Amino acid sequence: MSNLEPSGSQMLSRRPSRSAATTTFSLEVFDNEVVPSSLGSIAPVLRIAAEIEHERPRVAYLCRFYAFEKAHRLDPNSSGRGVRQFKTSLLQRLERDNNSSLASRVKKTDAREIESFYQQYYEHYVRALDQGEQADRAQLGKAYQTAGVLFEVLCAVNKTEKVEEVAPEIIAAARDVQEKKEIYAPFNILPLDSAGASQSIMQLEEVKASVAALWNTRGLNWPTAFEPQRQKAGDLDLLDWLRAMFGFQRDNVRNQREHFILLLANKHIRLNPKPEPISKDMGNFDVCGDDSGFGAEANLDDRAVDEVMNKLFKNYKTWCKFLGRKHSLRLPQGQPEIQQRKILYMGLYLLIWGEAANVRFMPECLCYIFHNMAYELHGLLAGNVSIVTGENIKPSYGGDDEAFLRKVITPIYHVIEKEANKSKNGKASHSQWCNYDDLNEYFWSSDCFSLGWPMRDDGSFFTSTRDVGKKASSEKPRSTGKAYFVETRILDLVLNFPGFHKWKFTDVLRNVLKIIVSLAWAIILPLCYVHSFKAAPDKIKDLLSFFKEVKDIPALYLLAVAVYMLPNILAAALFIFPMLRRWIENSDWLIIRFLLWWSQPRIYVGRGMHESQFVLIKYTLFWLLLLCSKIACSYFIQIKPLVKPTKAIMSIRHVDYEWHEFFPNGVHHSFT
């Protein structure tokens, strides 16, 4: 028996108790790659095991056992959904197939068995499919993926059986598979590798121009630790440079590279007048890097770049203007690398967005992140040198693998997670926890810059929910409260009480002043009104006697009413002209902001959302037409036919009623 076979004690220790849930996984489940979502990485291994089952049963068994070991490493406690049942069923499958697959083994050991199959698969299948540009890309990519998985299983078997040396031809084949597997990687729309250069979509002028623009890395300084990867993979593009400097994920870069190229290509092809085509003597290009000079001859129209850039950064620029900050899009005027700089800024924003996950629901939070990272990008491109160390400035969070996800996104996500736990699955009051919109409001104020960069973990954004969820805490967790999304009245202090601790001093001052002004009007108007009566007490008349009267109405009362009605008159005038309301709400003038401060809180989202003048006119005409139609219908159908009968009844005199119980003294027709 091979050393890879699970012993009886191992089986008993890993086998969970049987339950009805075990029947949800059948033996065929592994052939269909139906695995729990948390164990998705073992699905290719099980697929390959199912494909080679009939040809080499023992190799299929080894693949399944490797998948079981990998699943156990990924989730040792079987805490994921469906993991325990899946592992139990897979272990039962291994128990059933062990003896039969061992009997059909061709070689003496499992290590020799999988080595021979791997070499056979590489020689007779992989190399047979690899026919250069004539090869079937889909089948060849799948073959290289299969060969890569088989080599992983081979290494695991050799480690278990303590095989120290592997045949040189197998090592050479594995290196070739590793290199080609990256070339023939799966793609969505664009085959961005040397093998896909001959594809029809890669021959489109707009695609070639966009790809070439991304591969223009002239003048960029690459990290020393990244040089081996550049030499191995060839020339890399601008998104790879951003990954090296800021620590984005490799797959995120691959996704956003295709996304970005399609954005540029779509704008490029819609330009009018059409841009000049790329020189035809360039031939095919190699995006992995060659001497074709494609990057130098690219002709991506600046109009397409500017249009994409304006759409991507429209909200960011508006956010900066709202907070009174200068944006971080620093472009070198009149220099040839200005298009490269624009592409770097756009690529940085797309990489931030692609890796933000649930933080995408907080767009102004992304603006804050981009604002600081774009400023660092400007320092990198300008070659700024640290005064302390004398070295070039580096990003605050470094360029380690997945640094952006671990150090920027994850802390913000924890805040979202803790606030979601406060909701108690939707049972808690809406004012007791913050959703995405409430958390995003933190970045509607210039106070968000107090977080700094790198973000301080003791900032108010992170500390408000730090102790939530600790069962051992005897104190009741403090409510974060709402800022604007709770319905309020003049009684803001009462109805919005859960969020009072988030108010600024100016917010408290506004509510206190509103209460004082309301009380003042409650006193002033009655006093002026009482003074207009002749029967008013003499003391009050003597108190207000120094004001002159106009037509028996005190002038003070008229003045008080006019002042009191002025805001309502102004609101009515603004309702008639919505373009003024839009301009006022979007204005950054101090006097306008002061007037708006009294009437409503200054918020970022929802400003200037008013209909156009033409829409308002149509709306008004609709209601006028509807009311006129209703009045006309009521008059001509309900009222006019009753005019003559009514006049006839009114002309009757000397009416005697028989039912005097109802009309005891009725002698006139009006009682009818």
Side-chain angles (χ1 to χ4, degrees):
M1 181 178 291
S2 170
N3 292 333
L4 274 176
E5 298 176 21
S7 63
S9 59
Q10 289 175 328
M11 294 179 183
L12 291 175
S13 62
R14 294 173 183 168
R15 182 183 302 170
S17 59
R18 292 182 177 270
S19 63
T22 307
T23 59
T24 59
F25 289 91
S26 62
L27 296 180
E28 289 75 14
V29 76
F30 312 112
D31 298 339
N32 299 328
E33 303 181 48
V34 182
V35 297
S37 58
S38 59
L39 304 179
S41 60
I42 69 173
V45 184
L46 297 176
R47 176 184 59 79
I48 294 171
E51 291 176 353
I52 64 177
E53 177 74 26
H54 300 289
E55 184 178 358
R56 299 293 281 270
R58 189 59 183 177
V59 177
Y61 171 86
L62 296 175
C63 289
R64 291 194 177 98
F65 190 84
Y66 173 74
F68 178 83
E69 292 290 339
K70 190 173 183 179
H72 192 65
R73 290 195 302 270
L74 292 174
D75 192 352
N77 298 324
S78 301
S79 57
R81 182 177 182 180
V83 173
R84 185 177 300 276
Q85 294 85 351
F86 176 82
K87 289 166 68 174
T88 301
S89 299
L90 181 55
L91 189 57
Q92 292 174 354
R93 177 70 179 266
L94 292 173
E95 293 176 357
R96 189 196 70 175
D97 294 346
N98 180 39
N99 294 331
S100 60
S101 63
L102 190 61
S104 62
R105 189 174 65 185
V106 178
K107 301 297 182 180
K108 294 183 179 180
T109 63
D110 287 338
R112 297 301 181 188
E113 179 78 3
I114 194 169
E115 284 183 3
S116 65
F117 179 76
Y118 178 81
Q119 191 171 4
Q120 174 187 346
Y121 184 84
Y122 177 77
E123 294 291 339
H124 296 86
Y125 190 72
V126 177
R127 295 189 62 179
L129 286 175
D130 196 352
Q131 300 176 2
E133 295 183 358
Q134 306 299 326
D136 187 331
R137 179 187 175 92
Q139 291 187 6
L140 191 57
K142 184 178 179 180
Y144 277 115
Q145 184 188 34
T146 301
V149 172
L150 288 175
F151 187 74
E152 291 182 21
V153 179
L154 186 151
C155 294
V157 173
N158 287 345
K159 183 178 180 180
T160 303
E161 295 191 352
K162 298 181 180 180
V163 177
E164 298 180 358
E165 296 183 0
V166 182
E169 57 271 17
I170 294 180
I171 297 296
R175 290 176 179 173
D176 179 66
V177 167
Q178 182 63 26
E179 295 176 359
K180 297 293 182 62
K181 187 170 66 171
E182 296 181 358
I183 295 177
Y184 290 95
F187 64 93
N188 295 321
I189 300 176
L190 300 177
L192 296 172
D193 50 51
S194 58
S198 60
Q199 300 293 322
S200 299
I201 192 173
M202 302 306 296
Q203 299 303 315
L204 298 176
E205 295 293 332
E206 61 273 12
V207 175
K208 294 168 69 175
S210 303
V211 172
L214 255 68
W215 258 259
N216 177 22
T217 60
R218 292 190 299 268
L220 298 180
N221 296 321
W222 293 79
T224 305
F226 215 75
E227 287 299 330
Q229 186 172 350
R230 292 190 64 202
Q231 296 175 2
K232 179 180 179 181
D235 292 337
L236 303 178
D237 66 356
L238 298 178
L239 298 187
D240 289 312
W241 183 81
L242 291 173
R243 176 172 69 90
M245 303 307 296
F246 293 98
F248 293 106
Q249 297 182 76
R250 184 188 300 269
D251 289 336
N252 177 37
V253 172
R254 290 181 56 195
N255 291 334
Q256 297 307 319
R257 177 183 293 118
E258 187 176 22
H259 181 198
F260 194 14
I261 291 174
L262 291 176
L263 285 176
L264 294 173
N266 288 337
K267 294 300 180 184
H268 190 273
I269 198 175
R270 288 174 169 81
L271 293 176
N272 190 16
K274 298 295 183 182
E276 293 293 331
I278 300 175
S279 177
K280 294 184 179 180
D281 59 357
M282 291 166 52
N284 293 337
F285 61 91
D286 183 1
V287 297
C288 287
D290 58 12
D291 297 330
S292 63
F294 183 81
E297 300 292 336
N299 189 24
L300 181 62
D301 199 293
D302 288 333
R303 292 176 295 167
V305 177
D306 293 339
E307 190 170 350
V308 176
M309 188 172 183
N310 291 335
K311 287 191 175 182
L312 280 180
F313 296 130
K314 180 180 179 181
N315 182 57
Y316 167 67
K317 291 182 178 179
T318 305
W319 177 78
C320 291
K321 183 180 179 182
F322 178 79
L323 298 183
R325 296 280 179 141
K326 185 177 181 181
H327 61 72
S328 298
L329 302 175
R330 314 292 173 83
L331 299 175
Q333 300 297 329
Q335 297 186 20
E337 66 270 13
I338 184 172
Q339 187 180 96
Q340 181 194 69
R341 186 73 61 90
K342 293 178 181 178
I343 292 176
L344 282 172
Y345 281 127
M346 289 187 287
L348 176 62
Y349 182 82
L350 289 175
L351 291 174
I352 292 173
W353 178 87
E355 210 157 319
N358 289 15
V359 184
R360 294 178 189 171
F361 297 112
M362 301 166 58
E364 283 66 61
C365 178
L366 293 185
C367 289
Y368 177 81
I369 296 173
F370 173 79
H371 181 79
N372 292 279
M373 295 182 69
Y375 184 79
E376 291 182 328
L377 175 60
H378 172 70
L380 292 173
L381 297 174
N384 295 343
V385 179
S386 174
I387 301 177
V388 180
T389 62
E391 299 179 353
N392 290 339
I393 293 179
K394 298 180 180 179
S396 301
Y397 290 102
D400 301 336
D401 290 341
E402 300 185 358
F404 177 75
L405 178 65
R406 292 184 287 104
K407 300 178 181 179
V408 179
I409 298 299
T410 301
I412 299 176
Y413 174 78
H414 286 327
V415 175
I416 300 174
E417 181 185 24
K418 292 175 181 178
E419 285 294 332
N421 292 335
K422 287 183 180 181
S423 68
K424 300 178 181 178
N425 295 326
K427 298 179 181 179
S429 173
H430 186 62
S431 62
Q432 300 301 319
W433 61 283
C434 292
N435 55 24
Y436 290 107
D437 294 328
D438 301 317
L439 294 173
N440 191 44
E441 290 173 24
Y442 179 82
F443 298 93
W444 292 0
S445 169
S446 58
D447 293 342
C448 67
F449 290 98
S450 63
L451 284 178
W453 195 263
M455 293 182 292
R456 296 169 39 243
D457 58 356
D458 59 345
S460 58
F461 181 78
F462 296 104
T463 57
S464 61
T465 58
R466 174 169 295 176
D467 298 328
V468 174
K470 293 184 178 180
K471 297 182 179 179
S473 177
S474 58
E475 298 182 359
K476 183 178 180 180
R478 188 179 70 169
S479 171
T480 304
K482 302 288 186 176
Y484 304 119
F485 289 100
V486 173
E487 186 178 2
T488 57
R489 296 288 187 269
I490 297 175
L491 298 176
D492 286 347
L493 286 173
V494 177
L495 296 179
N496 201 26
F497 182 76
F500 78 96
H501 62 270
K502 294 180 64 176
W503 286 356
K504 302 179 183 178
F505 171 76
T506 55
D507 297 328
V508 178
L509 179 63
R510 179 180 64 248
N511 285 277
V512 172
L513 290 178
K514 281 186 176 182
I515 295 175
I516 295 175
V517 170
S518 299
L519 293 175
W521 281 118
I523 297 174
I524 293 174
L525 288 177
L527 288 177
C528 296
Y529 183 75
V530 168
H531 185 67
S532 64
F533 286 99
K534 296 181 179 179
D538 294 335
K539 293 183 178 180
I540 297 179
K541 287 183 178 181
D542 295 339
L543 182 64
L544 301 177
S545 60
F546 56 89
F547 290 103
K548 295 182 179 180
E549 295 185 355
V550 179
K551 294 183 180 180
D552 296 331
I553 300 178
L556 180 61
Y557 179 73
L558 294 176
L559 179 63
V561 171
V563 174
Y564 180 78
M565 293 297 296
L566 185 61
N568 296 324
I569 296 174
L570 180 60
L574 293 178
F575 177 79
I576 300 175
F577 301 101
M579 72 286 289
L580 294 178
R581 286 191 290 170
R582 285 199 302 269
W583 178 82
I584 290 174
E585 291 184 6
N586 291 319
S587 176
D588 291 322
W589 289 7
L590 294 179
I591 182 63
I592 299 297
R593 290 177 59 178
F594 173 75
L595 294 177
L596 287 179
W597 170 81
W598 177 262
S599 61
Q600 64 185 30
R602 189 168 184 257
I603 59 176
Y604 179 73
V605 174
R607 298 175 301 143
M609 295 182 63
H610 301 286
E611 297 80 5
S612 64
Q613 189 71 46
F614 181 67
V615 172
L616 181 62
I617 293 175
K618 290 194 302 181
Y619 179 78
T620 305
L621 291 177
F622 166 77
W623 281 106
L624 288 176
L625 180 61
L626 180 64
L627 292 175
C628 291
S629 301
K630 183 175 179 60
I631 293 173
C633 179
S634 300
Y635 175 74
F636 288 103
I637 297 178
Q638 297 178 340
I639 299 176
K640 188 175 181 180
L642 297 177
V643 173
K644 290 183 178 180
T646 303
K647 289 183 177 180
I649 294 174
M650 294 292 293
S651 63
I652 299 176
R653 297 291 186 272
H654 305 292
V655 179
D656 295 329
Y657 295 96
E658 296 182 357
W659 289 1
H660 293 282
E661 294 83 359
F662 296 98
F663 310 101
N665 300 317
V667 295
H668 198 270
H669 58 79
S670 61
F671 286 94
T672 59

